[in-house]
Amino acid sequence: MPLKACFGAALVAATLFALPAAAQDAEKTLFFYNWTDYYPVELLTKFEKETGIKVILDGFDSNDTLLAKLQSGGASYDVIVPSDYVIPGLIKDGLLMKIDTNQMSNYAHMKDAFRNPDFDPKHEYSAPYLWGVTGLAYDSAQVEGGTLEASWKEYFEPRPGLEGKIAALDTASDEILAASLYLGIPQCTESNEDAARILELLQAQKEKLKLYSSDSTVDRMASGEVAMHHVWNGATARATAQRDTIRFLYPKEGTPMFRDNFAVPANAPHPENAKIFINWMMAPENAAAVSNAIAYANAIKSDEFLKDQWKKMEAINMPEEYAPRLVPTQDCGPKARELRDRIWTRLKG
């Protein structure tokens, strides 16, 4: 090595060691903002051991909460997990950093069906995490006859024996979309008349609910606290593993499909660590580890690492004949979102 290069390397090393210990540790840190109960903590231990990067995990309960946090600039995270329909708006508003996922080494493991998504065609700003659906879970042991019709009617106009035993998600987007599907209203409607119909349905249902909550859904179902829950299929599968009388419905009027993704905020304090983490998560064995723990399907060629119990469960492996029922979540415009917010405020006020 030339003398000049030796001197330069020594100077860099001296500068590094001159930094306070806290500053050096900060460079080996990753602030991860994910949905609550949506990542196995033990996998973070593996990542930390393999990379030397310490992960600090924080949770949120809805895309609305995530958006509010990003828009306020009140916190700095390195990796976030927005749903598909949220990403175009984040890109447009300059809230995401360009990370060129398609150039990462583990991008080669992505399933073809998840390449070139409509919300980020070149995968410049995001990488797939997990995908699934939002439907209805019920405890067949608490239902007369043991079965329910695969319809939102069972939820919005429940049988007398289920009244007071139903849990709704505490998120405007999920509840209003379900109501829209049941009523045959476009999910991004801007009509005041449509809004009035949705609000009327939700208000009539409210008195028949036990609670609104997007947290602890698995425990609530597994314990038998509720007989029905508007919930995600992955949470249902995990609850079913503890209480085998739980069943999952794909409503015939339409079953919302979601695709959750990794992304990096524009103000991320450790963007290089974020890229390392995202690439690491696209390795098949790591993607499968999440699916095995959280019970949602991933977008990586990782089937050989999946547990048999998830391969056999209908809540995770949807019967092919239900495919036409899947409804991708749309990115609604400002007027539609404002209308949704007004409905939710009236309902919860």
Side-chain angles (χ1 to χ4, degrees):
M1 180 185 294
L3 180 62
K4 183 175 180 180
C6 290
F7 178 76
L11 180 61
V12 170
T15 302
L16 176 62
F17 287 114
L19 288 172
Q24 293 183 41
D25 290 343
E27 297 309 311
K28 298 178 181 179
T29 301
L30 178 80
F31 295 108
F32 184 21
Y33 197 36
N34 195 2
W35 295 76
T36 304
D37 299 326
Y38 204 40
Y39 193 97
V41 177
E42 60 272 17
L43 191 59
L44 292 180
T45 302
K46 179 186 177 186
F47 174 75
E48 292 174 353
K49 183 177 180 180
E50 293 184 6
T51 65
I53 299 172
K54 179 176 177 57
V55 180
I56 299 173
L57 178 62
D58 196 5
F60 59 88
D61 62 0
S62 71
N63 282 296
D64 294 335
T65 300
L66 171 62
L67 284 171
K69 185 78 73 170
L70 293 178
Q71 290 168 347
S72 70
S76 295
Y77 294 102
D78 297 303
V79 176
I80 56 175
V81 185
S83 296
D84 45 7
Y85 71 93
V86 176
I87 290 177
L90 293 177
I91 295 173
K92 181 180 179 181
D93 293 341
L95 295 173
L96 293 186
M97 182 181 296
K98 190 175 181 181
I99 57 174
D100 292 322
T101 304
N102 52 23
Q103 299 300 313
M104 295 181 180
S105 60
N106 284 329
Y107 185 78
H109 300 299
M110 190 182 303
K111 293 179 179 178
D112 291 342
F114 293 88
R115 295 177 184 268
N116 311 118
D118 53 353
F119 54 87
D120 184 16
K122 297 181 181 179
H123 267 136
E124 295 176 296
Y125 294 90
S126 66
Y129 177 42
L130 298 173
W131 71 275
V133 299
T134 310
L136 296 173
Y138 70 96
D139 183 1
S140 61
Q142 298 188 54
V143 172
E144 185 177 355
T147 61
L148 294 177
E149 182 185 1
S151 170
W152 288 112
K153 182 177 181 178
E154 299 281 11
Y155 177 61
F156 288 112
E157 301 178 43
R159 305 175 186 195
L162 293 178
E163 292 184 7
K165 300 179 182 179
I166 302 172
L169 291 172
D170 194 18
T171 50
S173 54
D174 287 311
E175 294 303 315
I176 293 174
L177 175 52
S180 298
L181 289 170
Y182 180 48
L183 296 172
I185 293 173
Q187 62 175 287
C188 289
T189 182
E190 298 180 357
S191 164
N192 289 326
E193 291 182 3
D194 287 344
R197 291 178 61 204
I198 293 170
L199 179 59
E200 182 181 7
L201 179 67
L202 292 174
Q203 286 177 327
Q205 180 207 34
K206 184 177 180 180
E207 61 186 31
K208 301 172 185 177
L209 297 176
K210 181 179 178 66
L211 78 165
Y212 291 93
S213 178
S214 298
D215 295 325
S216 303
T217 56
V218 174
D219 292 339
R220 187 172 298 116
M221 288 186 292
S223 67
E225 178 186 341
V226 295
M228 179 190 291
H229 212 312
H230 181 197
V231 74
W232 309 279
N233 63 321
T236 303
R238 290 157 61 194
T240 304
Q242 302 176 54
R243 190 181 187 90
D244 62 10
T245 54
I246 294 173
R247 304 289 182 264
F248 187 77
L249 297 178
Y250 295 83
K252 62 185 180 182
E253 299 89 353
T255 304
M257 174 187 180
F258 62 85
R259 293 166 290 179
D260 290 331
N261 306 266
F262 292 120
V264 180
N267 64 343
H270 311 105
E272 294 307 312
N273 293 347
K275 295 176 185 178
I276 290 172
F277 177 77
I278 291 171
N279 185 55
W280 189 85
M281 279 305 310
M282 288 191 291
E285 62 272 24
N286 297 328
V290 175
S291 292
N292 286 332
I294 305 301
Y296 285 101
N298 65 71
I300 304 300
K301 299 173 183 176
S302 62
D303 292 0
E304 64 179 298
F305 298 102
L306 293 178
K307 294 179 179 178
D308 288 340
Q309 71 177 120
W310 303 138
K311 294 178 182 179
K312 300 174 182 177
M313 194 173 293
E314 190 170 288
I316 297 303
N317 282 332
M318 181 189 69
E320 188 175 345
E321 61 265 28
Y322 293 165
R325 300 181 182 184
L326 298 183
V327 178
T329 308
Q330 297 178 11
D331 179 28
C332 299
K335 187 174 179 180
R337 292 197 299 269
E338 182 183 347
L339 200 62
R340 181 192 66 191
D341 291 343
R342 292 211 310 267
I343 293 171
W344 196 245
T345 299
R346 287 281 301 276
L347 177 68
K348 299 297 292 290

